[in-house]
Amino acid sequence: MPRQLGELEDTVMTRVWQWNRPVTVREVLEDLQQERSIAYTTVMTVMDNLHQKGWVRREVDGRAYRYTAVSTRAAYAAALMNEAWSQSDNPAAALVAFFGMMSVEQREALRDAIRVVAPTFPEPSESRPDDGVAADEASPESGR
C-alpha cells in the first residue's frame, strides 16, 4: 500500500470513500467549495495524483473522468497501522503502548475484531510451519 496521504489527498479520498461510487472532479470540487476556496485545477491535480499513486482508478465519461476508490478507508487505516508497527524494533512493546492509548470504545472494537479473526489464528501449541518454532516459544519474553 502506498505511503500516508497528504492533507488534501485525504480530504478528497474521504469524499470518494463516503460516496462509494464513481465521482468526477467537478463533484468533489463543488463539495470542497462548501468548506474552502479551491480551484478546479487543484482538485484535478490531486485526483490525478491519487490515480498515479494507485488510490483510485478512473474511467473516461465524455470529456471527464470518473474516479473510484481502489480500496476502503479501513484497508488504508490498517495499512498505516501495519506500516507503523513494522517499523518498531520491539513490536510487542509497540502494541502494548498502542493499546494503552485506546479509548474504551476502541478497546471494545479491538475485542470484536479479535473475535472475528481468532478462528483463523493457529492455536498456541501448534508449530509455525515457516520456522518450526512453537508459538509459545516465540513469546516476547523469550527474545525471539
Side-chain angles (χ1 to χ4, degrees):
M1 175 111 344
R3 64 179 167 76
Q4 185 172 356
L5 296 170
E7 182 183 340
L8 188 52
E9 290 173 331
D10 185 70
T11 300
V12 169
M13 281 305 301
T14 295
R15 272 120 181 118
V16 175
W17 282 318
Q18 286 174 341
W19 295 340
N20 197 28
R21 61 173 173 78
V23 300
T24 64
V25 170
R26 176 78 51 204
E27 289 173 304
V28 174
L29 172 72
E30 290 172 357
D31 194 61
L32 289 174
Q33 285 179 331
Q34 295 176 25
E35 301 171 359
R36 63 171 82 180
S37 176
I38 191 166
Y40 180 91
T41 53
T42 301
V43 177
M44 183 175 65
T45 298
V46 168
M47 294 190 79
D48 184 60
N49 289 344
L50 289 167
H51 176 257
Q52 297 300 320
K53 293 177 179 181
W55 288 104
V56 294
R57 67 178 146 265
R58 65 186 181 194
E59 294 181 11
V60 176
D61 183 13
R63 293 178 36 206
Y65 287 113
R66 288 207 173 265
Y67 295 84
T68 308
V70 169
S71 66
T72 64
R73 178 171 285 290
Y76 168 65
L80 289 180
M81 289 187 285
N82 188 54
E83 177 67 21
W85 187 42
S86 68
Q87 299 291 323
S88 174
D89 60 349
N90 187 339
L95 283 175
V96 169
F98 179 61
F99 297 156
M101 295 177 195
M102 291 178 148
S103 69
V104 172
E105 294 81 14
Q106 290 170 322
R107 287 180 190 199
E108 188 56 39
L110 175 62
R111 283 185 201 96
D112 292 343
I114 289 172
R115 281 192 279 275
V116 169
V117 298
T120 64
F121 287 156
E123 289 299 318
S125 62
E126 294 179 19
S127 293
R128 291 190 212 167
D130 59 325
D131 63 5
V133 176
D136 55 358
E137 293 177 31
S139 66
E141 297 84 27
S142 70
R144 293 190 63 156

